[in-house]
Every structure is written in structure tokens, then in C-alpha cells.
Amino acid sequence: MQKHGKDLRGVQNSMSVCQREGRSNQVTTSQIQSLATDTPLFRAIGKGFYMASQEEVQSDLQREAELLAKTAKDLANREEYLERRIAQNRSNMIDIAS
């Protein structure tokens, strides 16, 4: 039961990170859309940056948003599973005690 609780906290932390990154992605996308089409943009690669067109940056952000959505869905399913397991273990403990 403790292991499931620890796993659940880890999943919840991962979900909050995923949500934060999703909001950051949305803000970046809205900022890029408000720029002129000829504005130079840069993408980060590790510690460096490279120049990219708006279309490239927007497509990268779109791909990242899709990946974040899939990850959030997987984490939500994992959270639901762990919550069911914890509830089941709790009920088993009550049955054993009585």
C-alpha cells in the first residue's frame, strides 16, 4: 500500500509538470502567432540556439503539445489505476482486521 501511495505521488507530480509544460507551450504558441511572419525565431538545443522559421517552430510546438496530451492521458490512466489499487488494498485490510 505504501508503494502504491509513493507511485501515486510520483504520478501526480509528473502530471503537474506536464500541465505546467502544456501551459508554457500554449503561451509560447500565442506569442508566436502575434509576431510578424518575417520575425526571426530561435529554438534551443541543449545550451545552444538555432534560427528557425515560424512554421518550423509552430510545428515543433504542435508536436510537443500532442506528446504532452498523450503523456497527460497516460498519467491520468495510471493515477486512476493506482487509486483503485489503494482503495482495494484498504478494503482488504479492513476485511482482514474484521
Side-chain angles (χ1 to χ4, degrees):
M1 196 162 146
Q2 289 176 348
K3 182 183 180 310
H4 291 307
K6 182 179 177 182
D7 289 346
L8 180 62
R9 285 188 299 278
V11 166
Q12 290 169 340
N13 289 338
S14 296
M15 286 179 67
S16 66
V17 167
C18 189
Q19 290 169 350
R20 205 171 28 248
E21 288 178 6
R23 285 190 301 268
S24 173
N25 189 315
Q26 289 173 348
V27 168
T28 303
T29 301
S30 66
Q31 290 294 319
I32 288 174
Q33 290 173 348
S34 68
L35 297 173
T37 57
D38 60 343
T39 304
L41 299 175
F42 295 89
R43 293 289 298 170
I45 298 181
K47 293 183 180 181
F49 296 91
Y50 72 96
M51 189 177 284
S53 68
Q54 268 193 4
E55 294 81 25
E56 289 174 15
V57 173
Q58 286 178 337
S59 68
D60 287 346
L61 288 171
Q62 177 81 20
R63 258 183 272 125
E64 187 177 323
E66 291 170 359
L67 181 63
L68 286 170
K70 181 184 180 305
T71 302
K73 182 181 176 188
D74 292 344
L75 287 170
N77 289 339
R78 178 75 177 155
E79 179 184 37
E80 183 181 322
Y81 167 76
L82 289 170
E83 287 174 345
R84 280 194 319 254
R85 293 291 300 178
I86 289 170
Q88 184 181 23
N89 286 343
R90 200 172 275 141
S91 103
N92 288 343
M93 295 290 278
I94 291 170
D95 289 344
I96 290 172
S98 62

